[in-house]
Amino acid sequence: MSASPADLFATDAPTRIMGVVNVTPDSFSDGGAYPDPADAVRAGQLMIDQGADIVDVGGESTRPGAPRVFASEELRRVLPVVAKLASSGVPISIDTSRASVAAAAVDSGALLVNDVSCGTNADLLRIVAERGVHYVLMHSRGSSADMGALAVYDDVVTEVVSELSARLEVVLAAGVPEDKVIIDPGIGFAKTAAHNWALLANLDALAALGRPLLVGTSRKSFLGSVLSGPGEPPRPPDDRDAATQATTVLLASAGVWAVRVHAVRPAVDAVRVHRAWHAAGPARPARPVACRVGPAR
């Protein structure tokens, strides 16, 4: 499934798989998983071997409440990983909201800047425009420390689309070509579980902005909540992969450009199954019959 850099951003291709490598001690799912750059490089290469199309490298946690780190520390974490993977031919996205980190990562071979600040850093936008790389404009409000208090909407779909539209104008005015921009609704960023579900159910409203969509649901807390029973705590992040792949199939059906996931192989399998189903022809209404799960008898 891995795409070459030449066709990675084609909008008429099957849904792409973006693997996540967080080189952080405190990310909500894989924080501390890669204590050494060599561990992160091996993880990124394994994702490509399993079928990922691009690897997203991040050096600062964006989980709710996470404190910021110094730019020098973010650079120390990500640059060796980006440089090594890119030099090996791995398509790389850099997950950052800092211009200095974006510039260094792009100069080391990153093809995409994944900006979780919703395009609020003018210097970062200038770097993207000057370097001619692709750019993810992700909806967010505030920083990781205070975004929970900003998850207040009268109509989350209308307001997120409106805010993204306004920020898209800023991005384009900064000189970033429109055909380089990808939109991300920012699932979990200044949003409650109900907000997340509303956005996922109305992706057509986001697609109306005219840009490809990247969506990241992987292992997020709104999935943990929906999987737990009444009175039970949310399932832990590492027990949310099956639910993540359910959203992967639905997102592939919605035609998104890419999904951002921690577990690559199940996502690749999910997209392959969706492609095979879709290629078989238009679906016909199914009769209401039972579906047995388990070994045949």
Side-chain angles (χ1 to χ4, degrees), residues 5-293:
D7 64 5
L8 177 62
F9 299 103
T11 56
D12 58 350
T15 294
R16 302 302 191 191
I17 304 298
M18 176 183 282
V20 180
V21 173
N22 286 318
V23 195
T24 60
D26 56 346
S27 290
F28 82 97
S29 177
D30 59 351
Y34 314 116
D36 185 89
D39 298 321
V41 169
R42 282 191 291 270
Q45 186 59 63
L46 177 61
M47 289 177 177
I48 293 296
D49 293 343
Q50 291 177 338
D53 300 290
I54 186 168
V55 173
D56 190 45
V57 178
E60 182 177 53
S61 175
T62 53
R63 63 175 173 77
R68 298 220 66 180
V69 300
F70 290 115
S72 57
E73 174 62 13
E74 188 180 353
L75 283 165
R76 185 193 69 79
R77 293 174 180 179
V78 301
L79 277 189
V81 181
V82 170
K84 181 62 176 178
L85 286 172
S87 68
S88 300
V90 175
I92 294 296
S93 163
I94 180 66
D95 181 349
T96 189
S97 59
R98 286 192 168 105
S100 59
V101 177
V106 170
D107 290 347
S108 295
L111 305 175
L112 173 70
V113 174
N114 186 7
D115 177 17
V116 301
S117 76
C118 204
T120 57
N121 186 330
D123 289 335
L124 184 147
L125 296 179
R126 176 180 54 80
I127 292 297
V128 170
E130 290 176 353
R131 302 300 202 274
V133 294
H134 280 73
Y135 173 77
V136 174
L137 171 65
M138 192 198 81
H139 181 270
S140 62
R141 287 178 173 179
S143 66
S144 298
D146 63 3
M147 63 181 175
L150 300 175
V152 180
Y153 305 86
D154 290 326
D155 182 327
V156 66
V157 176
T158 299
E159 291 175 53
V160 167
V161 170
S162 176
E163 290 170 23
L164 280 170
S165 179
R167 298 312 304 172
L168 179 58
E169 291 184 10
V170 172
V171 170
L172 299 181
V176 179
E178 187 172 10
D179 64 359
K180 298 284 189 181
V181 180
I182 296 160
I183 296 290
D184 184 336
I187 298 299
F189 285 77
K191 297 169 188 76
T192 65
H195 295 148
N196 294 329
W197 289 118
L199 288 166
L200 291 172
N202 290 277
L203 289 175
D204 55 337
L206 291 154
L209 292 170
R211 303 309 312 137
L213 299 180
L214 167 68
V215 183
T217 63
S218 184
R219 298 180 180 173
K220 291 188 175 178
S221 60
F222 80 110
L223 294 178
S225 297
V226 81
L227 296 174
S228 59
E232 296 178 348
R235 284 198 196 171
D238 59 1
D239 198 16
R240 301 171 188 168
D241 283 336
T244 297
Q245 303 327 322
T247 65
T248 294
V249 173
L250 294 169
L251 291 165
S253 295
V256 305
W257 167 72
V259 291
R260 184 177 180 274
V261 297
H262 297 86
V264 164
R265 178 163 286 165
V268 170
D269 290 348
V271 171
R272 284 175 174 162
V273 169
H274 169 263
R275 289 176 63 188
W277 187 303
H278 183 73
R284 293 173 292 180
R287 292 180 296 169
V289 296
C291 178
R292 184 175 64 202
V293 178

